[in-house]
Amino acid sequence: MSAALPMNPTPSASNPGTASLHQGVGRKPPRNATTEPAWVKYTLIGVALAFLTLFLFVPLVTVFYEALKKGTDVYFAAMVDADALSAVKLTLLAAAISVPLNLVFGIAAAWAIAKFDFRGKNVLLTLIDLPFSVSPVIAGLIYVLVFGLQGWFGEWLREHDLKIIFAVPGIVLATLFVTFPFVARELIPLMQAQGVEQEEAARVLGANGWQIFWRVTLPNVKWALLYGVILCNARAMGEFGAVSVVSGHIRGQTNTMPLHIEILYNEYQFAAAFAVASLLAGLALVTLVLKYWVEQRVKAQVRGAHERGE
């Protein structure tokens, strides 16, 4: 006659599954590392919204309020002033020259760094980041030292009746310096992540360098390229420090929009200053809308690639 089995068997080393089952009874499931109580989430959201309201939304609304406080007649009179129109044209001209040049530089630098190994690669990366660490004022002083009348090339420039400092070429050079990292810095990480497999496959199939660039590389980076161009353009239009040093603040000739706003404000022409500032803020808002649109397109592209299993 067999012995009766115990009604409540205790877990033993010979039955680890039963031991684990008994140990897990009554325990709460482990909480995800990113899961926090609701009050923490809403507190962080509230802090972020308060910060944005205090330092972004309120100043932005104030700019448009002050610009229109004295009426639309004063507002439009400030906008069509000859000096204001000259500042707008010079700002757009500097951006129109510097952005395409930075586009070419950014593509070339990103292609070289991401697709090739060469001596001095890390040095090139460091130099690309230089404008992020050097004050724009220092950049302007460097151009004055090199191209000013008392600078290294000053005598040669006088002999050939060329003027760079306190003229449009100096403003373009200063704008180029402070904006050239933006396109390259958007493209380099993406190109490095993509690798060179597709380019190598195209080469094996008989494509030449230009065909590889236009049909393989460029389509893969087009949204990052557009994103970098938008950021570069925004910085070009809003640059103050470097341009202020090399411009000379000549009314109607070398004043960009930020410089013109500063002069109007220092002369206590607050309505006119805020009117021009509202135009610059409006351009910034357009840039943000374009930036958001590009980000959504990039997300849609990535989502589509995941759905296709790429």
Side-chain angles (χ1 to χ4, degrees):
M1 184 175 182
S2 61
L5 294 174
M7 296 299 295
N8 296 313
T10 58
S12 62
S14 61
N15 194 356
T18 307
S20 301
L21 179 63
H22 281 268
Q23 290 173 0
V25 173
R27 289 189 178 184
K28 294 181 179 180
R31 191 172 64 182
N32 193 306
T34 59
T35 303
E36 296 293 344
W39 68 268
V40 175
K41 178 177 68 174
Y42 291 118
T43 299
L44 294 176
I45 294 174
V47 170
L49 289 177
F51 188 90
L52 289 174
T53 300
L54 182 61
F55 295 103
L56 180 62
F57 299 138
V58 171
L60 193 61
V61 172
T62 302
V63 167
F64 288 96
Y65 171 77
E66 292 292 335
L68 297 169
K69 185 168 65 174
K70 292 187 177 181
T72 56
D73 293 339
V74 176
Y75 179 83
F76 287 110
M79 297 293 290
V80 298
D81 179 71
D83 291 341
L85 292 176
S86 175
V88 172
K89 291 177 182 178
L90 182 56
T91 301
L92 296 178
L93 176 63
I97 296 175
S98 61
V99 172
L101 292 177
N102 282 322
L103 174 64
V104 175
F105 168 79
I107 293 175
W111 181 288
I113 291 172
K115 306 299 181 181
F116 302 100
D117 290 323
F118 55 91
R119 182 176 299 177
K121 185 175 181 177
N122 292 331
V123 175
L124 179 58
L125 278 170
T126 303
L127 292 176
I128 290 175
D129 291 334
L130 189 63
F132 290 141
S133 57
V134 174
S135 170
V137 175
I138 296 176
L141 290 175
I142 291 173
Y143 282 118
V144 172
L145 175 64
V146 176
F147 299 110
L149 294 179
Q150 306 300 323
W152 297 348
F153 299 103
E155 184 177 352
W156 184 87
L157 291 172
R158 282 196 303 270
E159 293 175 355
H160 292 79
D161 195 24
L162 298 175
K163 194 173 183 181
I164 294 179
I165 302 302
F166 305 154
V168 174
I171 294 173
V172 173
L173 286 175
T175 305
L176 272 171
F177 178 85
V178 299
T179 56
F180 78 80
F182 287 94
V183 176
R185 266 302 168 192
E186 290 298 325
L187 292 180
I188 290 172
L190 180 59
M191 284 188 173
Q192 288 177 331
Q194 289 176 347
V196 296
E197 289 80 7
Q198 294 185 16
E199 283 83 359
E200 290 176 349
R203 175 70 70 181
V204 170
L205 294 174
N208 57 37
W210 281 110
Q211 290 174 330
I212 293 173
F213 173 76
W214 287 108
R215 299 184 181 182
V216 179
T217 303
L218 190 59
N220 289 335
V221 301
K222 60 181 179 181
W223 294 116
L225 182 63
L226 181 58
Y227 189 80
V229 168
I230 291 172
L231 294 179
C232 180
N233 183 70
R235 179 63 188 275
M237 291 190 299
E239 175 55 28
F240 178 85
V243 171
S244 177
V245 175
V246 302
S247 70
H249 294 270
I250 305 173
R251 281 181 178 269
Q253 297 183 31
T254 63
N255 274 343
T256 59
M257 291 174 65
L259 302 182
H260 184 62
I261 293 169
E262 182 201 25
I263 289 177
L264 292 175
Y265 191 84
N266 290 337
E267 293 178 349
Y268 302 102
Q269 300 182 45
F270 299 126
F274 280 106
V276 181
S278 68
L279 178 59
L280 195 59
L283 293 174
L285 291 175
V286 172
T287 300
L288 288 177
V289 171
L290 291 174
K291 175 176 172 290
Y292 176 79
W293 177 75
V294 171
E295 288 175 343
Q296 296 306 309
R297 294 300 300 266
V298 171
K299 290 180 181 178
Q301 187 178 32
V302 172
R303 192 183 308 114
H306 284 303
E307 290 176 354
R308 293 191 301 268
E310 296 179 1

